Amino acid sequence: MAENPHSPTAGDGAGPWRHADGKIKQKIQEWINTLVDEVAHGGVGMQAGLEGIRAALTGKNPVWAAIKGLASGLSTNAKIALILLLALGLLLGPVLVSTALAQAGSRA
């Protein structure tokens, strides 16, 4: 595939970074697929819902109980994927927000 000469990274040696970027996107997609498969086929959503209802009936926080019920029903691989996705979100969140704000500011 030929490089686009109008690309902002054309000719700046960013080739290896593009390859790494693709690998990162692929790994994130694998983590997301692991979580989706676990929730869709593992009955985890039902367990989380039941825990939330149980907590609401006993006067406890149903949201926190549902989150704990969801986490307790996940497989080890799904728990690892969830932790990695949360960590990635916490690390990249501020960068993505500041980038979006900078772009919005430059358009105004």
Side-chain angles (χ1 to χ4, degrees):
M1 182 173 186
E3 182 175 290
N4 180 357
H6 303 292
S7 169
T9 59
D12 67 355
W17 291 108
R18 282 191 211 126
H19 181 67
D21 186 42
K23 290 270 189 192
I24 292 170
K25 288 179 184 176
Q26 181 181 5
K27 195 51 130 171
I28 291 171
Q29 188 62 45
E30 288 174 15
W31 296 337
I32 291 171
N33 289 341
T34 300
L35 284 173
V36 169
D37 287 344
E38 187 72 28
V39 171
H41 302 292
V44 179
M46 180 66 78
Q47 182 177 349
L50 291 174
E51 289 297 325
I53 292 170
R54 182 179 298 144
L57 293 174
T58 59
K60 296 180 182 175
N61 185 342
V63 174
W64 185 244
I67 291 171
K68 291 194 303 188
L70 175 71
S72 69
L74 293 175
S75 69
T76 303
N77 286 342
K79 286 178 186 177
I80 291 170
L82 179 62
I83 290 168
L84 290 171
L85 287 170
L86 288 172
L88 185 65
L90 290 173
L91 290 172
L92 292 181
V95 173
L96 296 174
V97 169
S98 65
T99 303
L101 291 175
Q103 287 178 351
S106 67
R107 291 182 189 150

